[in-house]
Amino acid sequence: MAKWWADTLAADPDELGEGKEPATADVEGLRCFLEGEVLPWFENRQKELANRPLIREQAFGDALDPNKLERLGRYEVHLDRKLERMLTMLLRLKDLRRTDVES
């Protein structure tokens, strides 16, 4: 906050927008800075924080594509079946090896 105030005091008067007066390093200048710059910023930030859950929910809702989920689900089932076949094959090979060792 102090850096913001210092930057405001150091701002070039030629670069200020229309209707804006250069800040003065006195009580009145600080009051104008706080009321005109800081309070609106804090109010805006407070609104942003209050709406954060709604924004997050909207983002998650937009990110969800049922068509992509269906394709992923089918691929997952395919991989599950492939894994089951491989495990079954490994268990059969293990049993074959065990019977070869016993004989």
Side-chain angles (χ1 to χ4, degrees), residues 46-59:
Q46 189 176 19
K47 288 177 188 174
E48 289 173 358
L49 291 173
N51 291 325
R52 179 181 268 174
L54 298 174
I55 294 169
R56 183 179 294 129
E57 187 176 316
Q58 177 70 34

Side-chain angles (χ1 to χ4, degrees), residues 90-101 103:
L90 285 172
L91 289 172
R92 284 182 187 162
L93 287 172
K94 184 179 174 184
D95 287 342
L96 283 174
R97 193 176 285 169
R98 189 177 296 149
T99 56
D100 286 343
V101 171
S103 2

Side-chain angles (χ1 to χ4, degrees), residues 9 17 25 27-28 30 34 40 55 59 68 72-73 75 77-78 84 86 90 99:
L9 288 175
V27 174
E28 186 61 28
L30 181 59
L34 290 174
I55 294 169
K68 287 182 181 177
L72 283 174
Y75 189 61
V77 168
H78 171 73
E84 285 178 23
M86 286 177 30
L90 285 172
T99 56

